[in-house]
Amino acid sequence: MLLKNGRLVDPSQGIDDIRDILIVDGKIAAIATRIDISESNNEALKVIDAQGLIIAPGFIDIHTHLREPGYEYKETIRTGTEAAVAGGFSAVACMANTQPVNDNAGITAFVKRQALTANLARVYPIAAITVGLKGAQLTDFSDLMRAGAVAFSDDGAPLTSSVMMRYALEYASSLGATIISHCEDLSLVGNGVANEGFTATDLGLVGMPTIAEDLMVAREIMLSEYLQARVHIAHVSSARAVRLIREAKERGVPVSAEATPHHFTLTEAALVGYDTNCKVNPPLRSSVDVMEVRRGLSDGTIDCIASDHAPHSANEKDVEFDYAAFGMVGLETVLPLALQLVGEGVLTLSQLVERMSCNPANLLGLPGGTLKVGVDADVTLFDTQRVWQVVKENLISKSKNTPFVGYQMRGKAVMTIVGGKIKFQEGTAISPF
Ligand code: DOR
């Protein structure tokens, strides 16, 4: 396959320029200003005109909920990875809060097998830190890693016990693995459903204070510093949490962080009208928090943009706000929302690619994040100018719980290539079968 005339943005090689890229046997074979191979001399050659498009190392989402096994009515590994490639992701790392929980090698192997059958995006399971996400007994990290787990997290059910987190960090660091922490002090959150503050009070909703997030971020940073063990903070949403991470990084603490598009795009004001699609955990915060998350993304305090794609069925969302499930789908809207940051001067295009591809790969030690000659050809082609509207029926994810329905977006993935094979092409139904 020959990608011609695209603008290659590959921060791993310091390239931001027009380049041709040749893919042979699923690998990047050559990159040059001009590669001329005639199609007539080579019947097997597929030439793709990428003029006007950005070519980047495939995006990697380090925080996705694929829901299988157990919640197939929300999403399956197949529908989730279909949504992923449509959003420009060549790989996703999926969370362990399935049913049964991914707390043993059998489930991890099952997830890998289902992903191979779906044959779309690469899937990297994140296994549970504790058995059943109950916070009481560590899982067998080493066995889980042999089965394919790439990191450990009790996302959605944060570890309340500091000593368990200590043991988890020690165990993971002895294996070179990363703990991903969903930071929430449950005693402070109580039965909160929205950011604590004027908006929640005005709407009659119970608040979730930022201090609940900040305290746990502070705990993870201090444990990480004390133990010199790597910790990754999931979906950072509060201004103080960003500042804590910034200060910790300046001291050399091995901490990293991610932010979701909803936390850098929407404020708690979106809750007026009680759209349950805006009920997420951590909650949408104040404009001060959103500004600080953006600043964190800009100065590198926050390493990655992650979707926290959290599919829920209509039954779980079309209920009173208090009863609705937390979460929104995101895989198909990350790119245009992240491109808004480029449009507003928060990120350069190259930094966007870093936050969506290079850093996720480096943090979890995954293949990808680069288009250096010789690597597997996982490539995303996107159009920064394409204007499109989010239409519920057109969303590929099985669940449609996003507040962005009806929004006009600018920027779209037009092709996703995984291992040299086209897994998504705009306007075409690509079937791997
Ligand atoms: O909004 C959320 N939904 N936050 C989480 O941490 C979990 C997720 C889910 O699993 O639905």
Side-chain angles (χ1 to χ4, degrees), residues 99 101 103 128-139 154 157-161 164:
Q99 183 57 259
V101 170
D103 60 10
I129 299 173
T130 63
V131 175
L133 305 176
K134 290 195 166 69
Q137 187 191 343
L138 290 182
T139 57
D154 276 4
L159 276 179
T160 51
S161 158
M164 282 308 283

Short mmCIF file of all heavy atoms in Angstrom, two decimals, residues 99 101 103 128-139 154 157-161 164:
data_model
loop_
_atom_site.label_atom_id
_atom_site.label_comp_id
_atom_site.label_asym_id
_atom_site.label_seq_id
_atom_site.Cartn_x
_atom_site.Cartn_y
_atom_site.Cartn_z
N GLN A 99 -18.50 -8.30 33.62
CA GLN A 99 -19.17 -9.29 34.47
C GLN A 99 -19.03 -10.67 33.84
O GLN A 99 -19.68 -10.91 32.83
CB GLN A 99 -20.65 -8.90 34.60
CG GLN A 99 -21.46 -9.77 35.52
CD GLN A 99 -20.91 -9.85 36.91
OE1 GLN A 99 -20.24 -10.82 37.25
NE2 GLN A 99 -21.13 -8.84 37.72
N VAL A 101 -15.73 -9.90 36.34
CA VAL A 101 -14.63 -8.92 36.31
C VAL A 101 -13.40 -9.58 35.68
O VAL A 101 -13.16 -10.78 35.86
CB VAL A 101 -14.33 -8.46 37.76
CG1 VAL A 101 -13.05 -7.65 37.83
CG2 VAL A 101 -15.50 -7.67 38.33
N ASP A 103 -10.48 -10.36 36.39
CA ASP A 103 -9.54 -10.49 37.49
C ASP A 103 -8.78 -11.82 37.45
O ASP A 103 -8.10 -12.19 38.39
CB ASP A 103 -10.25 -10.31 38.85
CG ASP A 103 -11.35 -11.35 39.08
OD1 ASP A 103 -11.45 -12.31 38.30
OD2 ASP A 103 -12.13 -11.19 40.05
N ALA A 128 -8.04 -6.23 36.59
CA ALA A 128 -8.39 -5.65 37.88
C ALA A 128 -7.20 -5.71 38.84
O ALA A 128 -6.37 -6.61 38.78
CB ALA A 128 -9.56 -6.42 38.48
N ILE A 129 -7.15 -4.73 39.74
CA ILE A 129 -6.13 -4.76 40.81
C ILE A 129 -6.55 -5.76 41.87
O ILE A 129 -5.74 -6.53 42.38
CB ILE A 129 -5.97 -3.36 41.46
CG1 ILE A 129 -5.51 -2.33 40.42
CG2 ILE A 129 -4.98 -3.42 42.63
CD1 ILE A 129 -5.49 -0.89 40.95
N THR A 130 -7.85 -5.75 42.20
CA THR A 130 -8.31 -6.64 43.26
C THR A 130 -9.42 -7.57 42.75
O THR A 130 -10.14 -7.23 41.80
CB THR A 130 -8.84 -5.86 44.49
OG1 THR A 130 -9.98 -5.09 44.08
CG2 THR A 130 -7.79 -4.93 45.06
N VAL A 131 -9.52 -8.71 43.37
CA VAL A 131 -10.49 -9.73 42.97
C VAL A 131 -11.90 -9.14 43.05
O VAL A 131 -12.29 -8.59 44.09
CB VAL A 131 -10.35 -10.99 43.86
CG1 VAL A 131 -11.43 -12.02 43.52
CG2 VAL A 131 -8.96 -11.60 43.70
N GLY A 132 -12.62 -9.23 41.95
CA GLY A 132 -14.01 -8.74 41.90
C GLY A 132 -14.13 -7.24 42.09
O GLY A 132 -15.22 -6.74 42.36
N LEU A 133 -13.03 -6.51 41.96
CA LEU A 133 -12.99 -5.04 42.21
C LEU A 133 -13.46 -4.73 43.63
O LEU A 133 -14.00 -3.66 43.89
CB LEU A 133 -13.87 -4.27 41.19
CG LEU A 133 -13.63 -4.46 39.71
CD1 LEU A 133 -14.67 -3.68 38.89
CD2 LEU A 133 -12.23 -4.02 39.29
N LYS A 134 -13.22 -5.66 44.53
CA LYS A 134 -13.76 -5.49 45.89
C LYS A 134 -12.78 -4.82 46.84
O LYS A 134 -13.12 -4.51 47.98
CB LYS A 134 -14.21 -6.84 46.45
CG LYS A 134 -15.46 -7.39 45.75
CD LYS A 134 -16.07 -8.52 46.56
CE LYS A 134 -17.46 -8.86 46.11
NZ LYS A 134 -17.54 -9.48 44.79
N GLY A 135 -11.55 -4.64 46.38
CA GLY A 135 -10.58 -3.91 47.20
C GLY A 135 -9.95 -4.71 48.32
O GLY A 135 -9.24 -4.14 49.16
N ALA A 136 -10.20 -6.03 48.37
CA ALA A 136 -9.75 -6.80 49.53
C ALA A 136 -8.55 -7.70 49.23
O ALA A 136 -7.72 -7.94 50.11
CB ALA A 136 -10.91 -7.63 50.06
N GLN A 137 -8.46 -8.23 47.99
CA GLN A 137 -7.42 -9.22 47.71
C GLN A 137 -6.81 -8.93 46.33
O GLN A 137 -7.56 -8.81 45.34
CB GLN A 137 -8.08 -10.61 47.70
CG GLN A 137 -7.12 -11.74 47.58
CD GLN A 137 -7.84 -13.07 47.32
OE1 GLN A 137 -9.06 -13.18 47.55
NE2 GLN A 137 -7.12 -14.04 46.82
N LEU A 138 -5.48 -8.82 46.27
CA LEU A 138 -4.85 -8.53 44.98
C LEU A 138 -5.06 -9.68 44.00
O LEU A 138 -5.11 -10.85 44.41
CB LEU A 138 -3.34 -8.32 45.16
CG LEU A 138 -2.87 -7.04 45.86
CD1 LEU A 138 -1.34 -7.01 45.89
CD2 LEU A 138 -3.40 -5.79 45.18
N THR A 139 -5.17 -9.35 42.74
CA THR A 139 -5.24 -10.40 41.71
C THR A 139 -3.81 -10.90 41.44
O THR A 139 -2.84 -10.33 41.95
CB THR A 139 -5.83 -9.84 40.41
OG1 THR A 139 -5.03 -8.73 39.99
CG2 THR A 139 -7.27 -9.39 40.59
N ASP A 154 -8.76 -0.74 39.12
CA ASP A 154 -10.10 -1.03 39.63
C ASP A 154 -11.02 0.12 39.22
O ASP A 154 -11.87 0.57 39.99
CB ASP A 154 -10.09 -1.20 41.17
CG ASP A 154 -9.71 -2.63 41.58
OD1 ASP A 154 -9.38 -3.44 40.69
OD2 ASP A 154 -9.73 -2.94 42.79
N ALA A 157 -14.37 1.51 40.68
CA ALA A 157 -14.51 1.06 42.07
C ALA A 157 -13.19 1.33 42.78
O ALA A 157 -12.41 0.42 43.05
CB ALA A 157 -14.85 -0.43 42.11
N PRO A 158 -12.91 2.60 43.08
CA PRO A 158 -11.57 2.96 43.59
C PRO A 158 -11.17 2.24 44.87
O PRO A 158 -12.02 1.89 45.69
CB PRO A 158 -11.69 4.47 43.82
CG PRO A 158 -13.15 4.76 43.88
CD PRO A 158 -13.83 3.73 43.03
N LEU A 159 -9.87 2.03 44.99
CA LEU A 159 -9.32 1.35 46.17
C LEU A 159 -9.36 2.29 47.37
O LEU A 159 -8.70 3.31 47.38
CB LEU A 159 -7.86 0.99 45.91
CG LEU A 159 -7.55 -0.29 45.17
CD1 LEU A 159 -6.05 -0.45 45.00
CD2 LEU A 159 -8.09 -1.47 45.94
N THR A 160 -10.15 1.93 48.36
CA THR A 160 -10.23 2.81 49.54
C THR A 160 -9.05 2.59 50.47
O THR A 160 -8.60 3.50 51.13
CB THR A 160 -11.54 2.55 50.31
OG1 THR A 160 -11.64 1.15 50.55
CG2 THR A 160 -12.76 3.01 49.53
N SER A 161 -8.52 1.38 50.48
CA SER A 161 -7.45 1.06 51.42
C SER A 161 -6.09 1.48 50.87
O SER A 161 -5.65 1.04 49.81
CB SER A 161 -7.46 -0.45 51.68
OG SER A 161 -6.19 -0.86 52.14
N MET A 164 -3.65 -1.44 50.49
CA MET A 164 -3.85 -2.24 49.27
C MET A 164 -3.20 -1.55 48.08
O MET A 164 -2.58 -2.18 47.24
CB MET A 164 -5.36 -2.43 48.98
CG MET A 164 -6.05 -3.47 49.83
SD MET A 164 -5.23 -5.06 49.87
CE MET A 164 -5.72 -5.71 48.31
#
